[in-house]
Amino acid sequence: MSNRSDIAPDTLSVELSEDGVAVEYLDGRTAFYRGVPAKAEESVRTAPGKDTHVLVTDPTETSGILVYVNDLRTHDDIIEESGVGRVVLTDGEEDELFPGVTVRDHQMRVEVDVDFEVADGRVFVFEEDEMGERSYEIVPGDA
């Protein structure tokens, strides 16, 4: 499984509603993250071992990029066809997903930090496993 690689994301259609967040992949499938995301100021740190997806919208909130962090299960071809991006980090490593949005691996937890002086859309973090899912919107500290 260690043959999974980083893949740059494409721009995808996004729909925000009171029921959740829908992201349409390039291959026509739609991912739906249920519920209104909880607000988190400046950053989010996920629980250990969770699947983590980060969505950064453009200012219109109708398109954005979706990146899977540390996903080692999905084959490169499937990720590339969907338009989703992927970054694979080792403990202590970090990467800038989008200007102002940084992800870091910290002991099997993913930390997402946003610099709102630079980032210019909305930032959502979705964490899930077979036990359930949680979602967050990272907001400025003075929000």
Side-chain angles (χ1 to χ4, degrees):
M1 291 218 192
S2 61
N3 63 345
R4 302 301 189 240
S5 59
D6 289 359
I7 297 172
D10 289 312
T11 301
L12 305 174
S13 294
V14 175
E15 183 179 338
L16 307 176
S17 73
E18 60 188 37
D19 296 325
V21 178
V23 179
E24 184 178 352
Y25 297 151
L26 295 180
D27 61 13
R29 294 178 298 131
T30 300
F32 187 70
Y33 300 97
R34 294 185 196 322
V36 175
K39 303 286 187 206
E41 292 185 1
E42 308 290 333
S43 69
V44 165
R45 182 180 283 188
T46 65
K50 299 284 188 178
D51 292 337
T52 303
H53 305 166
V54 179
L55 172 67
V56 181
T57 71
D58 70 354
T60 69
E61 302 174 4
T62 60
S63 64
I65 62 163
L66 179 64
V67 178
Y68 293 174
V69 181
N70 290 345
D71 174 288
L72 298 177
R73 290 182 285 195
T74 310
H75 195 277
D76 287 3
D77 292 346
I78 294 170
I79 297 259
E80 289 169 352
E81 290 171 9
S82 71
V84 172
R86 175 174 50 209
V87 295
V88 180
L89 305 171
T90 59
D91 189 27
E93 190 175 23
E94 70 178 51
D95 193 4
E96 187 174 52
L97 297 183
F98 195 79
V101 181
T102 303
V103 293
R104 172 178 309 100
D105 185 284
H106 182 72
Q107 299 177 344
M108 295 184 59
R109 296 174 184 262
V110 174
E111 187 171 339
V112 182
D113 293 306
V114 179
D115 178 352
F116 287 98
E117 301 276 323
V118 178
D120 129 17
R122 293 172 74 178
V123 179
F124 299 92
V125 178
F126 308 104
E127 72 172 57
E128 58 191 22
D129 63 11
E130 57 280 341
M131 302 298 288
E133 58 186 55
R134 295 191 305 184
S135 60
Y136 306 93
E137 178 179 4
I138 302 176
V139 296
D142 54 21

